[in-house]
Amino acid sequence: METLEKSEETVSNNTQRMAGTVNWGTATVIGVFAGMLYGGSKEAAASVSKDAEVMLKLGSTPDKREQYRLMRDAMEKRFIRVTRGSIVGGVRLGMFTAAFYNLQNLLAEKRGVHDVFNVVGAGSATAAVFGLIMPGSLIWRARNVALGSALGAAICFPLGWLQLKLIEKANEVNEAAHLGSDQRGEAKSGVSAAIERLEENLNK
């Protein structure tokens, strides 16, 4: 029994996240959907010029069957472009989000504290890795790594500071709410005790 209790305590301690860290699974799902929305809308906006070309062809084609074929081909190609853009955008942003929050949680676990430097380190490392896997020569990839690392750190520093400030504010609000509920509970207990005493006096 003692062994089971110790193992349960160990599992519960391992599964607890440090305060302020983000669940990377939830963040990855949000990143995938945001990337799909961005990629699809980007391809849909880029298809406007191609739709204008199709309209010009329709105006110069008197045959109804040829017009129908042109319209069908244009709609099929637009659907394929938007679908491909949504998938590629979702995969890219989802991978970036998963890597970023995994690195952030790993740094917080190894350092034993969650601060702005975890966010900066995770953003810099993730941007550097994505710069490394981009196509191009070795010099171009090295440039992307250096640029990505610098931009990742520069962008993530204010974002990490803002995230920590919001977490601190939320914790203060929660503590104030708990104190208010405790005070209301004490007031209710005092009122109930006074009512009970009054009932006892009336019964006498």
Side-chain angles (χ1 to χ4, degrees):
M1 293 294 292
E2 293 180 356
T3 306
L4 290 174
E5 290 177 356
K6 289 181 180 178
S7 63
E8 290 177 356
E9 290 178 357
T10 304
V11 171
S12 63
N13 290 331
N14 290 334
T15 54
Q16 287 180 351
R17 290 199 313 271
M18 187 175 294
T21 56
V22 180
N23 187 343
W24 71 271
T26 305
T28 302
V29 172
I30 295 174
V32 168
F33 281 104
M36 291 178 66
L37 181 62
Y38 172 75
S41 60
K42 182 179 179 182
E43 289 296 330
S47 299
V48 174
S49 61
K50 296 181 180 180
D51 291 342
E53 294 177 1
V54 173
M55 294 301 294
L56 289 175
K57 290 182 180 180
L58 287 175
S60 61
T61 305
D63 190 3
K64 296 295 184 181
R65 293 181 179 180
E66 184 66 17
Q67 290 180 358
Y68 175 75
R69 187 188 66 81
L70 289 173
M71 286 292 295
R72 184 187 62 188
D73 292 343
M75 292 177 65
E76 288 178 354
K77 290 178 181 179
R78 182 174 184 177
F79 175 77
I80 293 172
R81 285 194 302 268
V82 172
T83 304
R84 185 188 297 117
S86 298
I87 294 173
V88 172
V91 170
R92 287 179 177 175
L93 191 55
M95 289 175 60
F96 185 89
T97 307
F100 173 73
Y101 282 107
N102 268 320
L103 284 173
Q104 183 179 337
N105 294 341
L106 180 63
L107 289 173
E109 181 181 352
K110 295 299 182 182
R111 297 179 64 232
V113 63
H114 180 58
D115 55 11
V116 69
F117 296 107
N118 295 334
V119 182
V120 171
S124 178
T126 306
V129 170
F130 272 78
L132 181 62
I133 64 177
M134 290 180 67
S137 62
L138 291 177
I139 298 176
W140 180 257
R141 291 185 180 183
R143 176 182 175 276
N144 289 336
V145 168
L147 186 61
S149 179
L151 285 177
I155 293 173
C156 288
F157 184 83
L159 292 179
W161 180 82
L162 180 62
Q163 176 187 357
L164 292 176
K165 289 299 180 183
L166 290 175
I167 292 171
E168 291 177 1
K169 192 67 176 178
N171 290 334
E172 291 176 359
V173 172
N174 290 333
E175 290 177 359
H178 286 307
L179 289 175
S181 62
D182 293 339
Q183 291 176 357
R184 286 193 297 271
E186 292 176 357
K188 287 181 179 178
S189 62
V191 171
S192 60
I195 293 173
E196 289 178 357
R197 287 195 300 269
L198 180 62
E199 290 178 350
E200 291 178 357
N201 294 329
L202 290 175
N203 291 330
K204 291 179 180 180

